[in-house]
Amino acid sequence: MTNVGMSPKDEMLARFLDAAARGDVAAVSATIGHSGSFINESGENGWTALMLATRHGHVEVVNTLLSEGCDKSLVNKSGQTSYDIAKFWGHKHIAGLLADGKGGGNRHLLPRGSAGGQENYFSREFLNRMSEKRTDSQWLEAKQSSPASVYILFFNLNPFVTPTAGETSESRAPFGLCRLRWESVEALVKQPGTTLVFLGVEKQVKLVPPSPEGGKDGLTAWFALNTDSIPVKELELSYPNSVFLKPPMPQLLRLNPNEAGVIAQARSVLAWHDRYSFCPTCGSRTKVCEGGYKRTCLNEDCRSLQGIQNTCYPRVDPVVIMLVIHPDGNQCLLGRKKTFPAGMFSCLAGFVEAGESMEDAVRREVEEESGVKVGPVQYVSSQPWPMPSSLMIGCLAVAVSTHIKVDEDEIEEARWFTRQQVIDVFTKNSQPVFTIPPRQAIAHQLIKYWIGVNANL
Ligand SMILES: NC(=O)c1ccc[n+]([C@@H]2O[C@H](COP(=O)([O-])OP(=O)(O)OC[C@H]3O[C@@H](n4cnc5c(N)ncnc54)[C@H](O)[C@@H]3O)[C@@H](O)[C@H]2O)c1
Ligand SMILES: [Mg+2]
Ligand SMILES: [Mg+2]
Ligand SMILES: [Mg+2]
Ligand SMILES: [Zn+2]
């Protein structure tokens, strides 16, 4: 079959796809042998060899293509995977081969391409961390006593904030950070029990000439301080409206969204210092260095000083949080912990374990907590969660089973909610049957994302 005007490569691809459609295993294998890249190429309407072999029920060709490592998650121009095609044409055996629960069937229920663009509360950064300056002690010292530098203060990890008048366009933001200067904190910095961390410099360089006091570079440095003994009286006199915001939840969700990120950074690093006062490897005393971004063991023989000195740096715990979509594409799985306010349901979540991929953590946590099995997983966006130092990795995931059996230790109830029930929560058109966490939580954003992608809201 030769088409006028076709390049030799296109002609070879057409013959390869035709062989897959006819079930000619020998021709398919031979072509892959010398032109391996054809395996995932598509012809008319985006159909790959796997799709064509599947359409016509050629199990042997499907097996050959799978064993050669073809990508079964590809979709044709109608958005169907090979698995969808197998199901549609009733080739159950092939559908079974394609849906192995690890990225095969139902991938089309996930939005195409990367989710991108979603910014979560606690993720906005207006500081450049300038990690290279952490080891420049001369520069750090000069910035520390510069009157231009900004200090944010924590008392037992609770930030010092000032109620702000009015609302921002983005949200009700009743609390803004109280920005202190060197003269107000000098005595405190010198007190034992105070931890000081260099956070970075303002990204937006102010249009003022660099002054000797502000440092020759004109950069405005930010520091965070945590103390368990504060000169409360002096601070109250100087800042009569300011308060230490506690308890962390839900108070930390009431910050100006522009400042929530710097609080997350500061609080997580300070909480690490608070919990890791001694060397976790040998129990010896440690020395704070690198602008508060490292604690080095003072015992020269300590194993923590060999190889990657990972225990010497602030720890971050990765947590997966996922919205699980029903195989029918029209429902999602939400659960509630006993501690949630009445009627509130949220995405399932759990800590990633050592030696585990993000995708496998999603599958394991969902099955542990709800009994539901999950196939394809797609990353959407992430959120630092400074209680004390998690990184929430937000995903959409597609269920390959629907029966719910909750882990009663962790989850009180889990349910499938219809798309309409979820839309009702956002639009408040009719009386919603449940509530979800506030918009500052990535759980809220994941649910909204799924609805937005699928309903063009
Ligand atoms: N931002 C959000 O929208 C949002 C939503 C849900 C949960 N979260 C946060 O995610 C975190 C994890 O969720 P989860 O509690 O459901 O996790 P989970 O389902 O893994 O269960 C927690 C339990 O796992 C054990 N565990 C395993 N590894 C751990 C580790 N590295 N640190 C602490 N405990 C560990 C502990 O026994 C703990 O009680 C929570 O701390 C919660 O604050 C945030
Ligand atoms: Mg959990
Ligand atoms: Mg769990
Ligand atoms: Mg867990
Ligand atoms: Zn040690």
Side-chain angles (χ1 to χ4, degrees):
M1 188 178 60
T2 310
N3 283 355
V4 182
M6 260 189 169
S7 70
K9 183 182 165 242
D10 286 348
E11 221 179 288
M12 205 152 77
L13 176 63
R15 273 205 298 273
F16 171 65
L17 294 174
D18 185 52
R22 285 185 289 103
D24 185 342
V25 185
V28 166
S29 298
T31 310
I32 297 170
H34 54 78
S35 303
S37 66
F38 280 178
I39 197 162
N40 291 323
E41 294 241 354
S42 55
E44 222 181 317
N45 292 327
W47 283 62
T48 61
L50 182 67
M51 293 172 193
L52 289 162
T54 298
R55 157 69 185 88
H56 296 285
H58 299 308
V59 181
E60 262 190 273
V61 177
V62 168
N63 269 327
T64 303
L65 291 165
L66 289 177
S67 65
E68 294 291 341
C70 75
D71 184 350
K72 56 191 174 176
S73 71
L74 295 176
V75 291
N76 62 20
K77 287 188 181 158
S78 315
Q80 298 160 315
T81 59
S82 299
Y83 173 80
D84 302 328
I85 294 166
K87 282 195 72 170
F88 182 82
W89 291 99
H91 300 305
K92 285 192 186 143
H93 181 60
I94 296 181
L97 292 174
L98 296 171
D100 63 0
K102 284 235 175 190
N106 290 359
R107 187 173 283 279
H108 65 290
L109 294 179
L110 297 171
R112 285 211 228 156
S114 88
Q118 188 182 310
E119 190 190 51
N120 295 304
Y121 188 79
F122 288 131
S123 0
R124 196 173 296 173
E125 290 204 308
F126 62 83
L127 295 183
N128 175 349
R129 296 184 180 217
M130 291 197 99
S131 53
E132 71 276 17
K133 292 291 188 199
R134 292 176 192 157
T135 46
D136 187 343
S137 48
Q138 226 179 336
W139 184 90
L140 277 179
E141 261 170 47
K143 285 295 177 195
Q144 220 174 289
S145 54
S146 157
S149 295
V150 177
Y151 282 81
I152 60 176
L153 181 60
F154 289 75
F155 173 57
N156 285 339
L157 303 175
N158 301 312
F160 195 43
V161 294
T162 312
T164 51
E167 297 179 0
T168 66
S169 57
E170 208 170 341
S171 63
R172 284 168 52 122
F175 295 111
L177 264 180
C178 191
R179 301 174 186 206
L180 305 180
R181 301 290 165 175
W182 173 243
E183 57 180 28
S184 320
V185 297
E186 188 176 355
L188 201 55
V189 169
K190 290 174 180 162
Q191 256 181 34
T194 299
T195 316
L196 180 68
V197 173
F198 165 61
L199 298 170
V201 302
E202 288 179 17
K203 282 181 187 165
Q204 223 166 1
V205 179
K206 293 194 183 93
L207 292 173
V208 289
S211 66
E213 313 86 54
K216 294 194 182 73
D217 50 19
L219 299 171
T220 307
W222 279 55
F223 294 87
L225 275 182
N226 185 44
T227 176
D228 44 19
S229 58
I230 50 162
V232 178
K233 283 218 174 77
E234 288 154 50
L235 282 166
E236 278 175 354
L237 279 177
S238 316
Y239 308 93
N241 292 324
S242 299
V243 287
F244 286 95
L245 200 60
K246 64 174 182 183
M249 280 297 278
Q251 297 291 58
L252 286 180
L253 303 185
R254 300 184 61 196
L255 298 162
N256 178 333
N258 287 321
E259 295 179 330
V262 76
I263 291 271
Q265 178 193 359
R267 190 176 196 277
S268 286
V269 179
L270 293 171
W272 170 73
H273 282 290
D274 194 46
R275 290 173 176 215
Y276 289 75
S277 337
F278 293 91
C279 171
T281 306
C282 75
S284 301
R285 292 199 166 276
T286 54
K287 165 180 90 175
V288 176
C289 42
E290 299 194 7
Y293 262 81
K294 188 169 184 183
R295 291 187 86 104
T296 305
C297 183
L298 291 173
N299 166 12
E300 280 176 11
D301 301 325
C302 181
R303 290 195 316 284
S304 75
L305 304 179
Q306 292 162 16
I308 304 253
Q309 300 184 7
N310 60 330
T311 57
C312 304
Y313 292 92
R315 311 311 308 146
V316 177
D317 291 313
V319 174
V320 285
I321 178 159
M322 46 275 165
L323 183 67
V324 179
I325 306 164
H326 192 280
D328 72 9
N330 257 324
Q331 300 172 66
C332 66
L333 181 69
L334 299 173
R336 52 171 283 111
K337 291 188 175 190
K338 291 185 191 86
T339 50
F340 282 5
M344 189 178 102
F345 282 78
S346 184
C347 297
L348 302 181
F351 289 99
V352 176
E353 294 196 353
E356 186 174 49
S357 70
M358 172 192 93
E359 290 83 354
D360 281 338
V362 168
R363 295 187 183 105
R364 178 185 51 74
E365 282 289 346
V366 173
E367 192 167 355
E368 277 175 13
E369 295 184 3
S370 70
V372 169
K373 291 189 194 305
V374 159
V377 174
Q378 186 182 73
Y379 167 76
V380 176
S381 71
S382 64
Q383 176 181 46
W385 193 247
M387 274 78 77
S389 191
S390 294
L391 175 67
M392 307 300 299
I393 304 168
C395 299
L396 290 187
V398 184
V400 293
S401 76
T402 58
H403 178 69
I404 294 173
K405 186 176 181 308
V406 292
D407 163 13
E408 282 166 13
D409 285 341
E410 197 184 337
I411 302 285
E412 186 180 70
E413 189 185 355
R415 268 204 252 163
W416 292 108
F417 289 93
T418 66
R419 182 194 302 277
Q420 191 55 52
Q421 286 172 325
V422 178
I423 290 171
D424 288 345
V425 173
F426 285 101
T427 58
K428 299 189 173 79
N429 279 342
S430 53
Q431 188 61 38
V433 294
F434 67 109
T435 61
I436 59 171
R439 69 186 179 291
Q440 293 91 337
I442 190 173
H444 178 108
Q445 298 302 332
L446 278 173
I447 299 168
K448 190 171 167 190
Y449 174 72
W450 175 64
I451 289 296
V453 163
N454 290 279
N456 296 321
L457 277 180

